[in-house]
Protein backbone atom coordinates (compact mmCIF):
# COMPACT_ATOMS: atom_id res chain seq x y z
CA UNK A 1 0.00 0.00 0.00
CA UNK A 2 0.94 3.63 -0.44
CA UNK A 3 -0.32 6.80 1.24
CA UNK A 4 -0.17 10.22 -0.39
CA UNK A 5 3.04 12.02 0.54
CA UNK A 6 1.12 15.15 1.47
CA UNK A 7 -1.03 13.24 3.94
CA UNK A 8 2.04 11.65 5.51
CA UNK A 9 3.76 14.99 5.65
CA UNK A 10 0.92 16.60 7.58
CA UNK A 11 0.57 13.65 9.89
CA UNK A 12 4.18 12.75 10.62
CA UNK A 13 6.47 15.67 9.86
CA UNK A 14 6.57 16.85 13.48
CA UNK A 15 7.27 13.39 14.87
CA UNK A 16 9.95 12.83 12.21
CA UNK A 17 11.42 16.19 13.14
CA UNK A 18 11.45 15.27 16.83
CA UNK A 19 13.20 11.97 16.08
CA UNK A 20 15.73 13.63 13.77
CA UNK A 21 16.34 16.40 16.29
CA UNK A 22 16.91 13.81 19.00
CA UNK A 23 19.77 12.51 16.88
CA UNK A 24 21.41 15.65 15.51
CA UNK A 25 20.30 18.31 18.06
CA UNK A 26 20.16 20.95 15.34
CA UNK A 27 16.77 22.21 14.08
CA UNK A 28 17.97 23.11 10.59
CA UNK A 29 19.68 19.73 10.17
CA UNK A 30 16.55 18.00 11.47
CA UNK A 31 14.42 19.89 8.93
CA UNK A 32 16.76 18.74 6.17
CA UNK A 33 16.48 15.15 7.36
CA UNK A 34 12.67 15.30 7.37
CA UNK A 35 12.50 16.90 3.94
CA UNK A 36 14.91 14.40 2.44
CA UNK A 37 12.96 11.57 4.03
CA UNK A 38 9.65 12.69 2.54
CA UNK A 39 11.25 13.24 -0.85
CA UNK A 40 12.74 9.75 -0.67
CA UNK A 41 9.34 8.30 0.18
CA UNK A 42 7.77 10.17 -2.71
CA UNK A 43 10.26 8.88 -5.24
CA UNK A 44 10.93 5.36 -4.01
CA UNK A 45 9.14 2.51 -5.75
CA UNK A 46 8.21 0.57 -2.66
CA UNK A 47 5.00 -0.94 -1.40
CA UNK A 48 4.26 -1.09 2.31
CA UNK A 49 2.22 -3.54 4.32
CA UNK A 50 0.41 -0.98 6.45
CA UNK A 51 0.52 2.58 7.70
CA UNK A 52 2.52 1.39 10.72
CA UNK A 53 5.03 -0.09 8.29
CA UNK A 54 5.29 3.29 6.54
CA UNK A 55 5.64 5.12 9.85
CA UNK A 56 8.48 2.85 10.98
CA UNK A 57 10.19 3.23 7.59
CA UNK A 58 9.91 7.01 7.70
CA UNK A 59 11.36 7.10 11.22
CA UNK A 60 14.23 4.80 10.28
CA UNK A 61 15.10 6.88 7.22
CA UNK A 62 14.82 10.19 9.10
CA UNK A 63 17.04 8.88 11.91
CA UNK A 64 19.63 7.60 9.45
CA UNK A 65 19.63 10.86 7.52
CA UNK A 66 20.04 12.81 10.75
CA UNK A 67 22.98 10.55 11.67
CA UNK A 68 24.54 11.15 8.26
CA UNK A 69 24.21 14.89 8.68
CA UNK A 70 26.02 14.76 12.01
CA UNK A 71 29.06 13.40 10.22
CA UNK A 72 28.98 15.90 7.35
CA UNK A 73 30.66 19.30 7.33
CA UNK A 74 27.29 21.06 7.76
CA UNK A 75 27.53 19.98 11.34
CA UNK A 76 29.96 22.75 12.15
CA UNK A 77 27.20 25.34 12.40
CA UNK A 78 25.36 23.73 15.28
CA UNK A 79 22.91 25.73 17.36
CA UNK A 80 23.66 25.69 21.10
CA UNK A 81 20.99 23.73 22.94
CA UNK A 82 20.32 26.62 25.32
CA UNK A 83 19.73 29.01 22.42
CA UNK A 84 17.28 26.68 20.72
CA UNK A 85 15.47 25.94 23.96
CA UNK A 86 14.79 29.66 24.39
CA UNK A 87 12.70 29.52 21.23
CA UNK A 88 10.56 26.64 22.52
CA UNK A 89 7.40 27.18 24.56
CA UNK A 90 7.55 24.51 27.25
CA UNK A 91 4.36 24.10 29.24
CA UNK A 92 6.23 23.74 32.53
CA UNK A 93 9.74 24.21 33.87
CA UNK A 94 9.88 20.45 34.46
CA UNK A 95 9.17 19.82 30.79
CA UNK A 96 12.05 22.08 29.80
CA UNK A 97 14.31 20.37 32.29
CA UNK A 98 13.40 16.91 30.98
CA UNK A 99 13.99 18.04 27.39
CA UNK A 100 17.39 19.45 28.30
CA UNK A 101 18.52 16.36 30.19
CA UNK A 102 17.41 14.01 27.41
CA UNK A 103 19.37 16.10 24.93
CA UNK A 104 22.45 15.78 27.10
CA UNK A 105 22.32 11.99 26.97
CA UNK A 106 24.67 10.17 24.58
CA UNK A 107 23.07 9.85 21.12
CA UNK A 108 22.59 6.08 21.27
CA UNK A 109 20.57 6.45 24.47
CA UNK A 110 18.64 9.50 23.24
CA UNK A 111 17.11 7.88 20.22
CA UNK A 112 16.12 4.68 22.03
CA UNK A 113 14.56 6.74 24.84
CA UNK A 114 12.74 8.85 22.25
CA UNK A 115 11.29 5.92 20.32
CA UNK A 116 10.14 4.31 23.55
CA UNK A 117 8.68 7.29 25.37
CA UNK A 118 7.50 9.48 22.50
CA UNK A 119 6.63 7.05 19.73
CA UNK A 120 5.40 4.30 22.08
CA UNK A 121 7.41 1.60 20.35
CA UNK A 122 8.17 -1.67 22.10
CA UNK A 123 11.76 -2.86 22.51
CA UNK A 124 11.47 -5.31 19.63
CA UNK A 125 10.09 -2.63 17.32
CA UNK A 126 12.87 -0.22 18.29
CA UNK A 127 15.41 -2.94 17.53
CA UNK A 128 13.86 -3.35 14.06
CA UNK A 129 13.89 0.37 13.35
CA UNK A 130 17.48 0.88 14.49
CA UNK A 131 18.75 -2.44 13.12
CA UNK A 132 20.27 -3.41 16.45
CA UNK A 133 19.62 -6.35 18.75
CA UNK A 134 16.84 -6.31 21.34
CA UNK A 135 19.41 -6.73 24.09
CA UNK A 136 21.22 -3.59 22.90
CA UNK A 137 17.96 -1.66 23.02
CA UNK A 138 17.26 -2.93 26.53
CA UNK A 139 20.72 -1.93 27.75
CA UNK A 140 20.54 1.53 26.17
CA UNK A 141 17.05 2.09 27.54
CA UNK A 142 18.11 1.03 31.01
CA UNK A 143 21.23 3.20 31.01
CA UNK A 144 19.36 6.16 29.59
CA UNK A 145 16.70 5.86 32.27
CA UNK A 146 19.32 5.62 34.99
CA UNK A 147 21.04 8.76 33.78
CA UNK A 148 17.74 10.62 33.62
CA UNK A 149 16.78 9.45 37.10
CA UNK A 150 20.14 10.57 38.42
CA UNK A 151 19.73 14.16 37.24
CA UNK A 152 15.96 14.57 37.32
CA UNK A 153 15.45 12.76 40.63
CA UNK A 154 11.80 12.97 41.71
CA UNK A 155 10.81 14.48 38.36
CA UNK A 156 11.46 11.09 36.74
CA UNK A 157 9.61 8.05 38.07
CA UNK A 158 10.62 4.42 38.20
CA UNK A 159 7.32 3.30 36.69
CA UNK A 160 8.89 2.01 33.47
CA UNK A 161 11.53 -0.21 35.05
CA UNK B 1 0.30 12.25 38.52
CA UNK B 2 1.81 12.04 35.05
CA UNK B 3 3.66 8.97 33.87
CA UNK B 4 7.13 9.26 32.39
CA UNK B 5 5.67 8.80 28.92
CA UNK B 6 3.20 11.61 29.48
CA UNK B 7 5.94 13.87 30.81
CA UNK B 8 8.18 13.02 27.88
CA UNK B 9 5.43 13.67 25.32
CA UNK B 10 4.59 16.96 26.95
CA UNK B 11 8.24 18.03 26.87
CA UNK B 12 8.81 17.05 23.25
CA UNK B 13 5.48 18.29 21.90
CA UNK B 14 7.12 21.71 21.51
CA UNK B 15 9.15 20.45 18.56
CA UNK B 16 7.74 21.31 15.16
CA UNK B 17 9.19 20.94 11.70
CA UNK B 18 9.65 24.10 9.66
CA UNK B 19 6.98 25.23 7.21
CA UNK B 20 9.72 25.19 4.59
CA UNK B 21 9.30 21.43 4.41
CA UNK B 22 5.66 21.66 3.37
CA UNK B 23 6.58 24.14 0.68
CA UNK B 24 9.40 22.06 -0.69
CA UNK B 25 7.43 18.82 -0.75
CA UNK B 26 4.36 20.46 -2.24
CA UNK B 27 6.48 22.16 -4.82
CA UNK B 28 8.08 18.85 -5.71
CA UNK B 29 4.70 17.21 -6.11
CA UNK B 30 3.47 19.94 -8.44
CA UNK B 31 6.59 20.18 -10.57
CA UNK B 32 7.89 16.68 -10.82
CA UNK B 33 9.94 17.49 -13.88
CA UNK B 34 12.18 19.78 -11.86
CA UNK B 35 12.45 17.36 -8.98
CA UNK B 36 16.10 16.59 -9.52
CA UNK B 37 16.94 20.24 -9.20
CA UNK B 38 14.96 21.13 -6.13
CA UNK B 39 16.84 19.06 -3.54
CA UNK B 40 20.11 20.59 -4.63
CA UNK B 41 18.74 24.10 -4.39
CA UNK B 42 17.16 23.25 -1.08
CA UNK B 43 20.48 21.96 0.18
CA UNK B 44 22.19 25.17 -0.75
CA UNK B 45 19.57 27.32 0.89
CA UNK B 46 19.57 25.15 3.96
CA UNK B 47 23.29 25.55 4.23
CA UNK B 48 23.00 29.30 4.31
CA UNK B 49 20.18 29.23 6.79
CA UNK B 50 22.42 27.23 9.04
CA UNK B 51 25.20 29.69 9.15
CA UNK B 52 24.25 32.77 7.22
CA UNK B 53 22.72 34.59 10.13
CA UNK B 54 25.69 34.39 12.42
CA UNK B 55 29.17 35.64 11.84
CA UNK B 56 31.70 33.19 13.15
CA UNK B 57 35.41 33.00 13.44
CA UNK B 58 37.14 30.77 10.95
CA UNK B 59 40.63 29.68 10.22
CA UNK B 60 41.41 31.57 7.04
CA UNK B 61 44.05 29.12 6.02
CA UNK B 62 42.30 27.73 2.95
CA UNK B 63 42.53 28.69 -0.73
CA UNK B 64 41.21 32.23 -1.27
CA UNK B 65 39.67 33.93 -4.28
CA UNK B 66 37.43 36.89 -5.00
CA UNK B 67 34.13 36.53 -6.89
CA UNK B 68 31.50 39.09 -7.87
CA UNK B 69 28.05 38.41 -6.49
CA UNK B 70 24.90 40.14 -5.32
CA UNK B 71 23.77 40.71 -1.77
CA UNK B 72 20.57 42.56 -1.02
CA UNK B 73 20.41 44.02 -4.52
CA UNK B 74 23.96 45.34 -4.54
CA UNK B 75 26.89 43.92 -6.43
CA UNK B 76 29.76 43.22 -4.12
CA UNK B 77 33.19 41.69 -4.32
CA UNK B 78 33.17 38.61 -2.15
CA UNK B 79 36.35 37.28 -0.62
CA UNK B 80 35.96 33.50 -0.67
CA UNK B 81 37.94 31.03 1.35
CA UNK B 82 37.69 27.40 0.32
CA UNK B 83 37.67 25.56 3.60
CA UNK B 84 38.78 22.38 1.90
CA UNK B 85 35.82 20.34 3.12
CA UNK B 86 33.29 21.30 0.45
CA UNK B 87 32.32 24.47 2.28
CA UNK B 88 33.28 28.09 1.77
CA UNK B 89 33.55 31.18 3.91
CA UNK B 90 32.33 34.36 2.23
CA UNK B 91 33.43 37.78 3.43
CA UNK B 92 32.06 41.04 2.01
CA UNK B 93 31.41 44.65 2.94
CA UNK B 94 27.86 45.81 3.61
CA UNK B 95 27.00 49.23 5.04
CA UNK B 96 30.59 49.74 6.06
CA UNK B 97 30.78 46.52 8.03
CA UNK B 98 32.46 43.26 7.13
CA UNK B 99 29.94 40.46 6.97
CA UNK B 100 31.02 36.86 7.09
CA UNK B 101 28.87 33.88 6.19
CA UNK B 102 29.58 30.26 5.45
CA UNK B 103 27.98 27.76 3.14
CA UNK B 104 28.31 25.18 0.47
CA UNK B 105 26.13 22.89 -1.58
CA UNK B 106 25.86 20.14 -4.10
CA UNK B 107 24.11 19.69 -7.40
CA UNK B 108 22.27 16.40 -7.79
CA UNK B 109 22.90 14.88 -11.19
CA UNK B 110 20.45 12.85 -13.22
CA UNK B 111 22.11 9.60 -12.13
CA UNK B 112 21.80 10.54 -8.46
CA UNK B 113 25.46 11.38 -8.00
CA UNK B 114 26.39 14.73 -6.53
CA UNK B 115 28.82 17.40 -7.60
CA UNK B 116 30.09 20.05 -5.22
CA UNK B 117 29.07 23.56 -6.27
CA UNK B 118 31.79 26.07 -7.04
CA UNK B 119 32.26 29.13 -4.84
CA UNK B 120 30.64 31.30 -7.54
CA UNK B 121 27.63 28.98 -7.78
CA UNK B 122 27.18 29.00 -4.03
CA UNK B 123 27.61 32.77 -3.84
CA UNK B 124 24.98 33.20 -6.56
CA UNK B 125 22.49 31.36 -4.37
CA UNK B 126 22.73 34.32 -2.03
CA UNK B 127 21.82 36.75 -4.80
CA UNK B 128 18.17 35.81 -4.32
CA UNK B 129 16.92 36.47 -0.84
CA UNK B 130 13.91 37.64 1.13
CA UNK B 131 14.38 39.57 4.33
CA UNK B 132 12.55 41.90 6.64
CA UNK B 133 13.91 45.40 7.25
CA UNK B 134 14.08 47.04 10.64
CA UNK B 135 10.95 49.04 9.77
CA UNK B 136 8.98 45.81 9.19
CA UNK B 137 8.92 45.98 5.40
CA UNK B 138 9.66 42.75 3.55
CA UNK B 139 11.92 42.78 0.50
CA UNK B 140 12.58 40.32 -2.26
CA UNK B 141 16.10 40.68 -3.61
CA UNK B 142 16.85 39.24 -7.02
CA UNK B 143 20.37 39.99 -8.20
CA UNK B 144 20.30 43.74 -8.99
CA UNK B 145 16.56 44.12 -8.38
CA UNK B 146 14.76 44.84 -5.10
CA UNK B 147 11.01 44.54 -4.57
CA UNK B 148 9.00 45.63 -1.56
CA UNK B 149 6.53 42.74 -1.18
CA UNK B 150 5.08 43.77 2.19
CA UNK B 151 1.65 44.58 0.78
CA UNK B 152 1.42 41.37 -1.23
CA UNK B 153 1.79 39.17 1.84
CA UNK B 154 -1.48 37.89 3.20
CA UNK B 155 -1.20 35.85 6.38
CA UNK B 156 2.50 35.55 5.64
CA UNK B 157 1.98 34.03 2.18
CA UNK B 158 2.17 35.41 -1.33
CA UNK B 159 2.80 34.45 -4.91
CA UNK B 160 4.64 36.98 -7.02
CA UNK B 161 6.31 37.00 -10.40
CA UNK B 162 9.11 39.17 -11.69
CA UNK B 163 10.69 39.66 -15.08
CA UNK B 164 14.30 38.63 -15.56
CA UNK B 165 15.63 39.68 -18.96
CA UNK B 166 12.19 39.24 -20.49
CA UNK B 167 11.50 35.88 -18.86
CA UNK B 168 9.17 35.47 -15.92
CA UNK B 169 10.39 34.04 -12.63
CA UNK B 170 7.70 32.84 -10.23
CA UNK B 171 8.06 32.93 -6.46
CA UNK B 172 6.06 31.07 -3.81
CA UNK B 173 6.78 32.82 -0.52
CA UNK B 174 5.75 31.84 2.97
CA UNK B 175 6.58 33.09 6.45
CA UNK B 176 8.63 30.31 8.02
CA UNK B 177 7.46 31.15 11.51
CA UNK B 178 10.99 31.78 12.66
CA UNK B 179 11.41 35.41 11.69
CA UNK B 180 12.29 34.68 8.08
CA UNK B 181 10.70 33.61 4.84
CA UNK B 182 10.81 30.34 2.95
CA UNK B 183 10.55 30.62 -0.78
CA UNK B 184 10.88 28.67 -3.96
CA UNK B 185 11.48 30.08 -7.41
CA UNK B 186 10.71 28.56 -10.74
CA UNK B 187 10.46 29.39 -14.41
CA UNK B 188 6.98 27.88 -14.35
CA UNK B 189 4.13 28.77 -12.01
CA UNK B 190 3.31 26.02 -9.53
CA UNK B 191 -0.40 26.61 -10.01
CA UNK B 192 -2.46 28.93 -12.16
CA UNK B 193 -0.49 31.81 -13.62
CA UNK B 194 -3.31 34.11 -12.57
CA UNK B 195 -2.53 33.39 -8.92
CA UNK B 196 0.71 35.37 -9.21
CA UNK B 197 1.01 39.12 -8.89
CA UNK B 198 3.52 40.50 -11.36
CA UNK B 199 5.66 43.08 -9.57
Amino acid sequence: MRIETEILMKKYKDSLFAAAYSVCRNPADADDAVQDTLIQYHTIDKQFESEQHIRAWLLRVAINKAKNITTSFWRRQSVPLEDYMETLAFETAEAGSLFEQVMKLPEKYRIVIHLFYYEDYAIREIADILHVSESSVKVRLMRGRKLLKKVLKEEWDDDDQ
Amino acid sequence: MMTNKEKYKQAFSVLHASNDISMEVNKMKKTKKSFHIRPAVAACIAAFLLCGMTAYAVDLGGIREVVQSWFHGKQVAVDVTDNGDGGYTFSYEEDGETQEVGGGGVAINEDGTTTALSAKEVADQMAVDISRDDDGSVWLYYYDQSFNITDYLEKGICKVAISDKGKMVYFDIEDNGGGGYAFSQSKDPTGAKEDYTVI
Side-chain angles (χ1 to χ4, degrees), chain A residues 5-19:
Chain A
T5 308
E6 195 166 351
I7 293 170
L8 291 176
M9 178 177 66
K10 286 176 181 168
K11 193 168 180 180
Y12 293 119
K13 70 173 183 169
D14 285 344
S15 68
L16 294 177
F17 177 83

Side-chain angles (χ1 to χ4, degrees), chain B:
Chain B
M1 187 70 179
M2 292 172 77
T3 65
N4 283 344
K5 281 196 175 183
E6 287 167 341
K7 289 176 189 172
Y8 193 100
K9 285 174 183 173
Q10 181 192 51
F12 280 74
S13 64
V14 297
L15 291 176
H16 299 286
S18 163
N19 289 333
D20 299 10
I21 291 170
S22 306
M23 284 198 72
E24 284 298 333
V25 174
N26 283 332
K27 169 90 174 172
M28 175 198 70
K29 284 165 62 63
K30 289 173 184 171
T31 55
K32 281 186 178 177
K33 64 181 178 180
S34 63
F35 167 69
H36 290 292
I37 297 169
R38 292 305 307 158
V41 173
C44 296
I45 293 169
F48 285 109
L49 286 176
L50 280 175
C51 51
M53 300 301 161
T54 309
Y56 60 94
V58 292
D59 175 9
L60 297 176
I63 301 167
R64 301 180 73 159
E65 63 176 311
V66 176
V67 299
Q68 294 293 320
S69 191
W70 297 87
F71 288 91
H72 289 177
K74 298 173 188 168
Q75 190 169 35
V76 291
V78 184
D79 190 5
V80 185
T81 301
D82 185 339
N83 298 328
D85 56 5
Y88 305 96
T89 299
F90 301 92
S91 179
Y92 63 99
E93 296 289 326
E94 186 178 46
D95 298 330
E97 291 184 8
T98 301
Q99 305 289 333
E100 205 167 70
V101 296
V106 295
I108 299 178
N109 306 316
E110 287 294 328
D111 61 0
T113 57
T114 57
T115 306
L117 297 179
S118 68
K120 174 65 174 163
E121 288 170 326
V122 177
D124 281 347
Q125 294 292 329
M126 290 191 268
V128 184
D129 188 25
I130 295 170
S131 65
R132 190 197 307 263
D133 267 8
D134 292 340
D135 63 4
S137 59
V138 182
W139 290 81
L140 163 62
Y141 298 101
Y142 186 85
Y143 295 89
D144 58 339
Q145 303 183 72
S146 304
F147 304 91
N148 186 335
I149 59 169
T150 315
D151 294 339
Y152 301 113
L153 287 160
E154 193 170 333
K155 294 181 180 175
I157 297 172
C158 74
K159 288 171 174 277
V160 294
I162 65 170
S163 175
D164 177 21
K165 295 168 188 162
K167 294 181 179 174
M168 299 307 292
V169 182
Y170 297 88
F171 288 88
D172 287 45
I173 300 165
E174 188 173 332
D175 190 329
N176 67 10
Y181 288 86
F183 68 94
S184 59
Q185 68 179 80
S186 173
K187 292 178 198 167
D188 303 306
T190 55
K193 198 179 283 186
E194 296 74 33
D195 292 342
Y196 291 81
T197 304
V198 179
I199 56 178

